Amino acid sequence: MQIADFLERAMADGGLAPGDRLPPQRELAALLGVDLTAVTRALAEARRRGLVEPRGSLGTFIAAPSFDLAPAVDLSMNVPPPPDGIDFGDMLRRGLTQVTLRADASLLMTYQLGGGTQADRTAGASWLAPMLGEVAHDRVVASPGAQSALAALMLCRTAPGASIAAEPLIYPGVRAAAAELGRHVVTVDVDDDGMRPDALDAACSERGVQMIYLNPTLQNPTTHTMPEARRRDIARVAARHGVPIVEDDPYWLLTPDAPPPLAALAPAQTFYIATLSKCLSPGLRTAYVVAPDAEMQASMLGALRAITLMAAPVATALATQWIRDGSAAGLLAGIRAEAAARQQIARQWLSGSGALAPSGIHVWHALPSYWSSAGFGRAARDESLRVTASDVFYEGAAPPNAIRISLGGAADRTQLSMALKKLSTLLARKPPSASMPVI
Protein backbone atom coordinates (compact mmCIF):
# COMPACT_ATOMS: atom_id res chain seq x y z
CA MET A 1 0.00 0.00 0.00
CA GLN A 2 2.89 2.38 0.73
CA ILE A 3 4.37 1.73 -2.72
CA ALA A 4 1.01 2.35 -4.42
CA ASP A 5 0.52 5.52 -2.35
CA PHE A 6 4.02 6.68 -3.33
CA LEU A 7 3.22 6.20 -7.03
CA GLU A 8 0.00 8.19 -6.61
CA ARG A 9 1.81 11.07 -4.87
CA ALA A 10 4.62 11.09 -7.43
CA MET A 11 2.08 11.36 -10.25
CA ALA A 12 0.26 14.18 -8.46
CA ASP A 13 3.57 16.02 -7.87
CA GLY A 14 4.76 15.58 -11.45
CA GLY A 15 7.63 13.27 -10.50
CA LEU A 16 6.09 10.57 -12.67
CA ALA A 17 4.29 11.35 -15.90
CA PRO A 18 2.00 9.27 -18.13
CA GLY A 19 4.12 7.01 -20.32
CA ASP A 20 7.05 6.74 -17.90
CA ARG A 21 8.34 3.16 -17.69
CA LEU A 22 8.84 1.63 -14.26
CA PRO A 23 11.90 -0.53 -13.54
CA PRO A 24 11.40 -4.31 -13.84
CA GLN A 25 9.78 -5.80 -10.75
CA ARG A 26 12.93 -7.58 -9.51
CA GLU A 27 14.98 -4.40 -9.92
CA LEU A 28 12.27 -2.38 -8.16
CA ALA A 29 12.21 -4.88 -5.28
CA ALA A 30 15.98 -4.59 -4.86
CA LEU A 31 15.86 -0.78 -4.99
CA LEU A 32 13.15 -0.67 -2.30
CA GLY A 33 14.59 -3.44 -0.16
CA VAL A 34 11.42 -5.57 -0.24
CA ASP A 35 10.65 -8.98 -1.65
CA LEU A 36 9.26 -9.56 -5.13
CA THR A 37 5.81 -10.50 -3.82
CA ALA A 38 5.41 -7.09 -2.19
CA VAL A 39 6.20 -5.33 -5.46
CA THR A 40 3.84 -7.59 -7.43
CA ARG A 41 1.00 -6.85 -5.01
CA ALA A 42 1.83 -3.13 -5.00
CA LEU A 43 1.62 -2.93 -8.79
CA ALA A 44 -1.64 -4.88 -8.74
CA GLU A 45 -3.06 -2.29 -6.33
CA ALA A 46 -1.68 0.54 -8.48
CA ARG A 47 -3.34 -1.00 -11.54
CA ARG A 48 -6.64 -1.29 -9.64
CA ARG A 49 -6.43 2.45 -8.94
CA GLY A 50 -5.73 3.18 -12.61
CA LEU A 51 -2.20 4.42 -11.91
CA VAL A 52 -0.25 1.99 -14.10
CA GLU A 53 -0.80 -0.16 -17.16
CA PRO A 54 1.16 -3.33 -18.07
CA ARG A 55 2.26 -3.63 -21.70
CA GLY A 56 3.41 -7.24 -21.83
CA SER A 57 7.09 -7.70 -22.54
CA LEU A 58 7.60 -3.93 -22.76
CA GLY A 59 7.06 -3.57 -19.02
CA THR A 60 4.80 -1.50 -16.76
CA PHE A 61 4.09 2.15 -17.52
CA ILE A 62 2.46 5.10 -15.75
CA ALA A 63 -1.09 5.26 -17.09
CA ALA A 64 -2.69 8.30 -18.67
CA PRO A 65 -5.43 9.81 -16.50
CA SER A 66 -8.82 8.29 -17.21
CA PHE A 67 -11.87 10.41 -17.82
CA ASP A 68 -15.42 10.06 -19.02
CA LEU A 69 -15.75 11.38 -22.55
CA ALA A 70 -19.37 12.34 -21.93
CA PRO A 71 -19.93 12.98 -18.22
CA ALA A 72 -23.57 13.21 -17.25
CA VAL A 73 -24.59 16.63 -15.95
CA ASP A 74 -27.31 16.45 -13.32
CA LEU A 75 -29.78 19.31 -13.78
CA SER A 76 -32.49 17.43 -11.90
CA MET A 77 -31.48 17.86 -8.24
CA ASN A 78 -32.09 21.22 -6.56
CA VAL A 79 -28.85 21.88 -4.71
CA PRO A 80 -27.04 25.16 -4.03
CA PRO A 81 -24.37 25.86 -6.68
CA PRO A 82 -20.75 25.63 -5.52
CA PRO A 83 -19.75 29.27 -5.08
CA ASP A 84 -16.67 30.61 -6.82
CA GLY A 85 -13.70 31.24 -4.54
CA ILE A 86 -14.98 29.27 -1.52
CA ASP A 87 -13.10 26.13 -0.51
CA PHE A 88 -15.70 23.79 0.99
CA GLY A 89 -13.04 21.41 2.22
CA ASP A 90 -11.25 24.15 4.12
CA MET A 91 -14.54 25.46 5.53
CA LEU A 92 -15.45 21.98 6.68
CA ARG A 93 -12.08 21.34 8.32
CA ARG A 94 -12.04 24.68 10.13
CA GLY A 95 -15.66 24.35 11.21
CA LEU A 96 -15.24 20.83 12.59
CA THR A 97 -12.03 21.85 14.34
CA GLN A 98 -13.89 24.62 16.14
CA VAL A 99 -16.78 22.28 16.97
CA THR A 100 -14.48 19.71 18.56
CA LEU A 101 -12.57 22.41 20.43
CA ARG A 102 -15.68 24.03 21.85
CA ALA A 103 -17.91 21.02 22.46
CA ASP A 104 -17.61 17.93 24.63
CA ALA A 105 -16.87 15.14 22.13
CA SER A 106 -18.78 12.61 24.22
CA LEU A 107 -21.92 14.77 23.95
CA LEU A 108 -21.56 14.95 20.18
CA MET A 109 -21.50 11.16 19.97
CA THR A 110 -24.44 10.24 22.17
CA TYR A 111 -28.24 10.52 22.20
CA GLN A 112 -29.69 13.97 22.71
CA LEU A 113 -33.19 15.32 23.12
CA GLY A 114 -34.69 16.31 19.79
CA GLY A 115 -34.96 19.94 18.82
CA GLY A 116 -31.33 20.91 19.31
CA THR A 117 -29.34 22.37 22.19
CA GLN A 118 -29.82 25.91 23.43
CA ALA A 119 -26.82 26.95 21.30
CA ASP A 120 -28.40 25.30 18.23
CA ARG A 121 -31.73 27.02 18.82
CA THR A 122 -30.03 30.38 19.43
CA ALA A 123 -28.15 30.01 16.15
CA GLY A 124 -31.43 29.10 14.45
CA ALA A 125 -33.10 32.21 15.82
CA SER A 126 -30.23 34.30 14.46
CA TRP A 127 -30.55 32.65 11.04
CA LEU A 128 -34.31 33.26 10.94
CA ALA A 129 -34.07 36.95 11.93
CA PRO A 130 -34.03 38.29 8.33
CA MET A 131 -37.27 36.42 7.62
CA LEU A 132 -39.16 36.62 10.90
CA GLY A 133 -37.47 39.36 12.91
CA GLU A 134 -36.52 38.67 16.52
CA VAL A 135 -37.44 35.11 17.53
CA ALA A 136 -36.95 33.72 21.04
CA HIS A 137 -34.54 30.79 20.90
CA ASP A 138 -36.96 28.52 22.77
CA ARG A 139 -39.46 28.91 19.91
CA VAL A 140 -36.99 27.37 17.43
CA VAL A 141 -36.64 23.65 16.77
CA ALA A 142 -33.59 22.25 14.95
CA SER A 143 -34.87 19.45 12.72
CA PRO A 144 -32.87 16.96 10.63
CA GLY A 145 -34.03 18.50 7.36
CA ALA A 146 -37.31 19.90 6.10
CA GLN A 147 -38.70 16.54 5.01
CA SER A 148 -38.66 15.19 8.57
CA ALA A 149 -40.37 18.34 9.82
CA LEU A 150 -43.09 18.10 7.13
CA ALA A 151 -43.79 14.48 8.00
CA ALA A 152 -43.89 15.25 11.72
CA LEU A 153 -46.38 18.09 11.20
CA MET A 154 -48.63 15.86 9.12
CA LEU A 155 -48.48 13.25 11.85
CA CYS A 156 -49.31 15.57 14.75
CA ARG A 157 -51.64 18.14 13.11
CA THR A 158 -53.80 15.90 10.89
CA ALA A 159 -55.76 12.69 11.35
CA PRO A 160 -55.42 9.54 9.21
CA GLY A 161 -57.32 10.06 5.97
CA ALA A 162 -57.24 13.84 6.33
CA SER A 163 -56.90 16.28 3.44
CA ILE A 164 -53.94 18.61 2.99
CA ALA A 165 -54.54 21.58 0.69
CA ALA A 166 -51.76 22.50 -1.73
CA GLU A 167 -51.21 24.07 -5.12
CA PRO A 168 -51.34 21.76 -8.18
CA LEU A 169 -47.54 21.74 -8.62
CA ILE A 170 -45.69 21.04 -5.38
CA TYR A 171 -42.50 19.60 -3.94
CA PRO A 172 -42.77 15.80 -4.44
CA GLY A 173 -41.74 15.06 -0.85
CA VAL A 174 -45.07 16.43 0.35
CA ARG A 175 -47.06 13.93 -1.69
CA ALA A 176 -44.71 11.10 -0.69
CA ALA A 177 -45.04 11.85 3.03
CA ALA A 178 -48.82 12.24 2.80
CA ALA A 179 -49.17 8.91 0.98
CA GLU A 180 -46.98 7.05 3.49
CA LEU A 181 -48.89 8.51 6.44
CA GLY A 182 -52.34 7.80 5.01
CA ARG A 183 -53.22 11.42 4.22
CA HIS A 184 -54.06 12.82 0.81
CA VAL A 185 -53.29 16.07 -0.97
CA VAL A 186 -56.21 18.18 -2.20
CA THR A 187 -55.31 20.40 -5.15
CA VAL A 188 -56.44 24.03 -4.87
CA ASP A 189 -56.69 26.13 -8.03
CA VAL A 190 -54.23 28.96 -8.63
CA ASP A 191 -54.11 32.18 -10.62
CA ASP A 192 -51.26 34.55 -11.45
CA ASP A 193 -50.79 35.34 -7.72
CA GLY A 194 -50.76 31.74 -6.55
CA MET A 195 -53.33 29.77 -4.54
CA ARG A 196 -56.80 31.34 -4.90
CA PRO A 197 -58.41 32.31 -1.58
CA ASP A 198 -61.91 31.48 -2.83
CA ALA A 199 -60.81 28.01 -3.98
CA LEU A 200 -59.09 27.43 -0.63
CA ASP A 201 -62.24 28.55 1.20
CA ALA A 202 -64.28 26.03 -0.78
CA ALA A 203 -61.79 23.24 -0.13
CA CYS A 204 -61.79 23.92 3.61
CA SER A 205 -65.60 23.90 3.67
CA GLU A 206 -66.21 20.93 1.39
CA ARG A 207 -63.15 18.70 1.65
CA GLY A 208 -62.40 18.80 5.38
CA VAL A 209 -58.94 20.28 4.93
CA GLN A 210 -56.83 19.97 8.10
CA MET A 211 -53.58 21.55 6.85
CA ILE A 212 -52.50 24.00 4.15
CA TYR A 213 -49.08 23.50 2.56
CA LEU A 214 -47.44 26.46 0.83
CA ASN A 215 -44.01 27.13 -0.69
CA PRO A 216 -44.73 30.80 -1.45
CA THR A 217 -41.28 32.18 -2.32
CA LEU A 218 -39.56 30.99 -5.52
CA GLN A 219 -41.97 28.09 -5.52
CA ASN A 220 -40.62 24.67 -6.44
CA PRO A 221 -40.96 24.02 -9.35
CA THR A 222 -42.61 27.07 -10.94
CA THR A 223 -40.30 29.78 -9.42
CA HIS A 224 -43.45 31.83 -8.69
CA THR A 225 -43.38 34.14 -5.65
CA MET A 226 -46.72 34.88 -4.00
CA PRO A 227 -47.28 38.62 -3.42
CA GLU A 228 -47.85 39.93 0.09
CA ALA A 229 -51.51 40.78 -0.47
CA ARG A 230 -52.28 37.20 -1.52
CA ARG A 231 -50.41 35.86 1.48
CA ARG A 232 -52.61 37.95 3.77
CA ASP A 233 -55.75 36.74 1.99
CA ILE A 234 -54.71 33.09 2.37
CA ALA A 235 -53.92 33.63 6.06
CA ARG A 236 -57.38 35.11 6.64
CA VAL A 237 -59.07 32.09 5.03
CA ALA A 238 -56.95 29.71 7.12
CA ALA A 239 -57.77 31.61 10.32
CA ARG A 240 -61.50 31.60 9.56
CA HIS A 241 -61.48 27.81 9.24
CA GLY A 242 -58.98 27.22 12.04
CA VAL A 243 -56.61 25.36 9.71
CA PRO A 244 -52.83 25.64 10.25
CA ILE A 245 -50.53 26.69 7.44
CA VAL A 246 -47.21 24.93 6.89
CA GLU A 247 -44.90 27.39 5.17
CA ASP A 248 -41.98 25.62 3.52
CA ASP A 249 -39.58 28.47 2.77
CA PRO A 250 -36.18 27.19 1.58
CA TYR A 251 -35.46 29.95 -0.94
CA TRP A 252 -36.37 33.19 0.88
CA LEU A 253 -32.73 34.10 1.56
CA LEU A 254 -31.92 33.65 -2.15
CA THR A 255 -34.65 36.08 -3.20
CA PRO A 256 -33.98 39.84 -3.26
CA ASP A 257 -36.98 41.83 -2.01
CA ALA A 258 -38.99 38.73 -1.05
CA PRO A 259 -42.34 39.54 0.60
CA PRO A 260 -42.63 38.82 4.33
CA PRO A 261 -43.27 35.14 5.09
CA LEU A 262 -46.79 34.14 6.11
CA ALA A 263 -45.28 33.30 9.50
CA ALA A 264 -44.42 36.99 9.92
CA LEU A 265 -47.88 38.10 8.76
CA ALA A 266 -49.89 35.43 10.61
CA PRO A 267 -47.64 33.86 13.28
CA ALA A 268 -50.55 32.38 15.25
CA GLN A 269 -51.61 30.36 12.19
CA THR A 270 -48.33 29.28 10.63
CA PHE A 271 -45.64 26.65 11.11
CA TYR A 272 -42.49 27.97 9.47
CA ILE A 273 -39.76 25.69 8.03
CA ALA A 274 -36.44 27.08 6.76
CA THR A 275 -33.94 24.45 5.66
CA LEU A 276 -30.23 25.04 5.11
CA SER A 277 -30.18 22.41 2.35
CA LYS A 278 -31.17 24.80 -0.45
CA CYS A 279 -29.24 27.89 0.60
CA LEU A 280 -26.06 26.44 2.17
CA SER A 281 -25.55 22.68 1.85
CA PRO A 282 -27.73 19.52 1.92
CA GLY A 283 -25.01 17.81 3.95
CA LEU A 284 -25.80 19.92 7.00
CA ARG A 285 -29.17 18.12 7.29
CA THR A 286 -30.56 20.98 9.37
CA ALA A 287 -33.82 22.89 9.13
CA TYR A 288 -35.21 25.39 11.62
CA VAL A 289 -38.89 25.21 12.52
CA VAL A 290 -41.00 27.77 14.38
CA ALA A 291 -44.43 26.75 15.68
CA PRO A 292 -47.31 29.11 16.50
CA ASP A 293 -47.16 28.39 20.24
CA ALA A 294 -45.48 26.21 22.87
CA GLU A 295 -48.22 23.58 22.88
CA MET A 296 -48.02 23.07 19.12
CA GLN A 297 -44.23 23.00 19.33
CA ALA A 298 -44.35 20.24 21.95
CA SER A 299 -46.76 18.25 19.80
CA MET A 300 -44.50 18.60 16.77
CA LEU A 301 -41.41 17.61 18.78
CA GLY A 302 -43.13 14.44 19.93
CA ALA A 303 -43.95 13.48 16.35
CA LEU A 304 -40.45 14.41 15.18
CA ARG A 305 -38.86 12.17 17.82
CA ALA A 306 -41.12 9.31 16.76
CA ILE A 307 -39.90 9.66 13.18
CA THR A 308 -36.21 10.43 13.56
CA LEU A 309 -35.47 10.73 17.32
CA MET A 310 -32.92 13.53 16.86
CA ALA A 311 -30.79 15.42 14.38
CA ALA A 312 -27.18 14.24 14.03
CA PRO A 313 -25.41 16.30 16.72
CA VAL A 314 -22.20 16.83 14.70
CA ALA A 315 -24.03 18.18 11.64
CA THR A 316 -26.23 20.46 13.73
CA ALA A 317 -23.22 21.67 15.73
CA LEU A 318 -21.39 22.46 12.48
CA ALA A 319 -24.37 24.53 11.29
CA THR A 320 -24.37 26.33 14.63
CA GLN A 321 -20.63 27.01 14.41
CA TRP A 322 -20.88 28.37 10.86
CA ILE A 323 -23.76 30.68 11.80
CA ARG A 324 -21.95 31.95 14.90
CA ASP A 325 -18.57 32.61 13.25
CA GLY A 326 -19.97 34.17 10.07
CA SER A 327 -19.02 31.31 7.73
CA ALA A 328 -22.69 30.67 6.91
CA ALA A 329 -23.25 34.31 5.95
CA GLY A 330 -20.16 34.25 3.73
CA LEU A 331 -21.24 31.01 2.10
CA LEU A 332 -24.76 32.36 1.55
CA ALA A 333 -23.39 35.49 -0.12
CA GLY A 334 -21.25 33.33 -2.41
CA ILE A 335 -24.18 31.10 -3.32
CA ARG A 336 -26.39 34.13 -4.04
CA ALA A 337 -23.75 35.54 -6.40
CA GLU A 338 -23.21 32.17 -8.06
CA ALA A 339 -26.97 31.61 -8.46
CA ALA A 340 -27.34 35.05 -10.08
CA ALA A 341 -24.50 34.28 -12.50
CA ARG A 342 -26.06 30.93 -13.38
CA GLN A 343 -29.47 32.51 -13.93
CA GLN A 344 -27.77 34.83 -16.41
CA ILE A 345 -26.34 31.81 -18.24
CA ALA A 346 -29.84 30.27 -18.29
CA ARG A 347 -31.24 33.47 -19.82
CA GLN A 348 -28.57 33.29 -22.51
CA TRP A 349 -29.49 29.78 -23.63
CA LEU A 350 -33.14 29.40 -22.65
CA SER A 351 -34.67 32.80 -23.43
CA GLY A 352 -37.93 32.88 -25.32
CA SER A 353 -39.96 30.32 -23.41
CA GLY A 354 -40.06 29.44 -19.76
CA ALA A 355 -40.22 31.13 -16.38
CA LEU A 356 -36.76 32.58 -15.81
CA ALA A 357 -36.62 33.92 -12.27
CA PRO A 358 -34.26 36.77 -11.41
CA SER A 359 -32.72 34.66 -8.66
CA GLY A 360 -32.79 31.18 -7.19
CA ILE A 361 -31.34 27.84 -8.18
CA HIS A 362 -33.84 26.43 -10.67
CA VAL A 363 -35.76 27.26 -13.84
CA TRP A 364 -39.27 26.18 -14.89
CA HIS A 365 -39.18 25.83 -18.67
CA ALA A 366 -42.14 25.34 -20.99
CA LEU A 367 -41.58 22.84 -23.80
CA PRO A 368 -42.42 23.21 -27.50
CA SER A 369 -45.61 21.40 -28.48
CA TYR A 370 -43.73 18.67 -30.31
CA TRP A 371 -42.04 17.54 -27.07
CA SER A 372 -43.78 15.89 -24.13
CA SER A 373 -42.31 16.39 -20.69
CA ALA A 374 -41.54 12.71 -20.20
CA GLY A 375 -40.24 12.32 -23.76
CA PHE A 376 -37.91 15.25 -23.41
CA GLY A 377 -36.59 13.88 -20.12
CA ARG A 378 -35.70 10.62 -21.87
CA ALA A 379 -34.08 12.45 -24.78
CA ALA A 380 -32.03 14.56 -22.35
CA ARG A 381 -30.78 11.40 -20.63
CA ASP A 382 -29.63 10.11 -24.01
CA GLU A 383 -27.55 13.30 -24.24
CA SER A 384 -26.03 12.67 -20.78
CA LEU A 385 -28.22 15.34 -19.18
CA ARG A 386 -30.76 14.95 -16.41
CA VAL A 387 -33.76 17.24 -15.96
CA THR A 388 -37.03 16.77 -14.05
CA ALA A 389 -40.29 16.21 -15.89
CA SER A 390 -43.41 18.04 -14.71
CA ASP A 391 -45.35 14.90 -13.75
CA VAL A 392 -43.04 14.49 -10.73
CA PHE A 393 -44.61 17.64 -9.22
CA TYR A 394 -48.18 17.13 -10.44
CA GLU A 395 -50.93 14.74 -9.52
CA GLY A 396 -53.46 14.30 -12.30
CA ALA A 397 -53.91 13.21 -15.88
CA ALA A 398 -52.48 16.21 -17.73
CA PRO A 399 -49.39 17.78 -16.15
CA PRO A 400 -48.08 21.00 -17.71
CA ASN A 401 -45.77 20.46 -20.65
CA ALA A 402 -42.67 21.73 -18.89
CA ILE A 403 -39.47 20.68 -17.14
CA ARG A 404 -37.58 21.90 -14.10
CA ILE A 405 -33.92 22.67 -14.74
CA SER A 406 -31.77 22.88 -11.63
CA LEU A 407 -28.73 25.12 -11.97
CA GLY A 408 -26.67 23.97 -8.99
CA GLY A 409 -25.73 20.44 -10.06
CA ALA A 410 -23.15 21.47 -12.66
CA ALA A 411 -19.62 21.62 -11.29
CA ASP A 412 -18.98 25.13 -12.61
CA ARG A 413 -20.37 27.79 -14.94
CA THR A 414 -18.55 26.40 -17.97
CA GLN A 415 -20.08 22.97 -17.51
CA LEU A 416 -23.50 24.55 -16.94
CA SER A 417 -23.21 26.67 -20.07
CA MET A 418 -22.25 23.64 -22.18
CA ALA A 419 -25.12 21.63 -20.70
CA LEU A 420 -27.69 24.37 -21.31
CA LYS A 421 -26.40 24.89 -24.83
CA LYS A 422 -26.94 21.18 -25.47
CA LEU A 423 -30.44 21.43 -23.93
CA SER A 424 -31.22 24.44 -26.14
CA THR A 425 -30.21 22.48 -29.24
CA LEU A 426 -32.34 19.55 -28.10
CA LEU A 427 -35.35 21.82 -27.49
CA ALA A 428 -35.14 23.12 -31.03
CA ARG A 429 -34.95 19.63 -32.49
CA LYS A 430 -38.12 17.60 -33.00
CA PRO A 431 -38.26 14.11 -31.48
CA PRO A 432 -37.06 11.30 -33.76
CA SER A 433 -39.69 9.38 -35.68
CA ALA A 434 -41.03 6.27 -34.01
CA SER A 435 -40.09 4.23 -37.07
CA MET A 436 -36.30 4.07 -37.19
CA PRO A 437 -34.34 2.43 -40.01
CA VAL A 438 -32.87 -0.99 -39.30
CA ILE A 439 -29.14 -1.20 -40.01
Side-chain angles (χ1 to χ4, degrees):
M1 297 302 290
Q2 290 178 21
I3 294 169
D5 289 345
F6 169 80
L7 288 171
E8 196 162 22
R9 287 196 302 273
M11 291 172 66
D13 296 341
L16 289 172
D20 285 350
R21 182 178 179 273
L22 296 180
Q25 291 190 25
R26 291 186 184 279
E27 184 179 333
L28 192 55
L31 287 169
L32 298 175
V34 297
D35 62 36
L36 180 62
T37 303
V39 171
T40 301
R41 293 174 66 186
L43 293 182
E45 170 63 18
R47 185 181 181 187
R48 186 190 68 79
R49 299 186 195 180
L51 305 177
V52 299
E53 56 180 353
R55 297 182 188 172
S57 61
L58 295 177
T60 300
F61 294 78
I62 298 298
S66 62
F67 60 93
D68 190 340
L69 292 174
V73 181
D74 191 349
L75 304 177
S76 66
M77 187 69 72
N78 247 12
V79 295
D84 190 39
I86 293 181
D87 185 339
F88 254 120
D90 182 59
M91 267 191 71
L92 189 60
R93 284 189 292 273
R94 287 189 289 108
L96 289 173
T97 296
Q98 290 301 312
V99 166
T100 53
L101 285 174
R102 296 171 185 270
D104 184 337
S106 63
L107 292 178
L108 292 175
M109 301 305 292
T110 190
Y111 289 111
Q112 297 183 7
L113 290 176
T117 65
Q118 180 174 328
D120 298 330
R121 294 181 180 216
T122 300
S126 172
W127 187 254
L128 295 172
M131 297 86 103
L132 304 182
E134 186 175 348
V135 181
H137 77 271
D138 57 1
R139 290 193 59 212
V140 178
V141 169
S143 166
Q147 184 68 28
S148 298
L150 287 170
L153 289 171
M154 288 182 193
L155 193 62
C156 72
R157 304 310 303 176
T158 66
S163 298
I164 299 168
E167 295 182 347
L169 290 156
I170 60 169
Y171 165 55
V174 175
R175 296 190 193 281
E180 289 296 326
L181 294 173
R183 279 70 170 167
H184 62 276
V185 175
V186 171
T187 296
V188 178
D189 288 342
V190 297
D191 59 19
D192 289 344
D193 286 341
M195 183 180 284
R196 285 172 34 203
D198 61 328
L200 176 62
D201 187 53
C204 289
S205 298
E206 300 165 10
R207 304 292 297 273
V209 168
Q210 294 185 11
M211 177 180 287
I212 301 163
Y213 171 83
L214 287 171
N215 169 205
T217 304
L218 271 184
Q219 197 255 5
N220 180 18
T222 66
T223 75
H224 176 263
T225 293
M226 182 182 287
E228 181 178 344
R230 177 57 57 87
R231 297 178 188 222
R232 292 185 182 276
D233 291 341
I234 293 293
R236 279 191 284 269
V237 173
R240 187 161 61 248
H241 290 276
V243 178
I245 298 169
V246 173
E247 183 174 15
D248 187 8
D249 207 17
Y251 307 113
W252 196 95
L253 288 170
L254 300 178
T255 313
D257 305 319
L262 281 100
L265 302 172
Q269 203 65 33
T270 309
F271 290 89
Y272 188 74
I273 304 174
T275 182
L276 302 182
S277 295
K278 299 299 188 283
C279 59
L280 292 184
S281 170
L284 290 172
R285 299 311 308 140
T286 300
Y288 299 113
V289 187
V290 177
D293 59 38
E295 182 180 348
M296 292 184 184
Q297 182 191 73
S299 175
M300 185 201 71
L301 266 174
L304 190 60
R305 289 169 186 149
I307 293 171
T308 190
L309 187 61
M310 66 178 190
V314 174
T316 307
L318 179 61
T320 296
Q321 178 62 37
W322 279 0
I323 291 170
R324 292 176 62 178
D325 68 16
S327 298
L331 180 56
L332 175 63
I335 288 170
R336 280 173 171 162
E338 185 66 27
R342 293 186 179 216
Q343 286 285 351
Q344 184 59 41
I345 294 171
R347 280 189 282 276
Q348 176 186 349
W349 292 113
L350 301 174
S351 59
S353 63
L356 293 169
S359 60
I361 60 175
H362 68 279
V363 170
W364 183 238
H365 196 78
L367 294 174
S369 59
Y370 47 79
W371 279 112
S372 69
S373 178
F376 187 83
R378 290 191 294 270
R381 284 195 297 275
D382 291 341
E383 298 286 341
S384 298
L385 299 171
R386 296 191 182 95
V387 296
T388 308
S390 59
D391 58 353
V392 171
F393 308 97
Y394 185 85
E395 190 169 290
N401 195 30
I403 55 170
R404 189 192 70 181
I405 304 168
S406 298
L407 305 179
D412 52 44
R413 297 176 199 176
T414 300
Q415 187 185 61
L416 177 67
S417 185
M418 293 174 64
L420 293 182
K421 179 181 179 181
K422 190 184 291 189
L423 268 187
S424 179
T425 301
L426 186 59
L427 284 164
R429 190 171 71 219
K430 292 189 177 181
S433 169
S435 58
M436 300 294 289
V438 177
I439 298 175

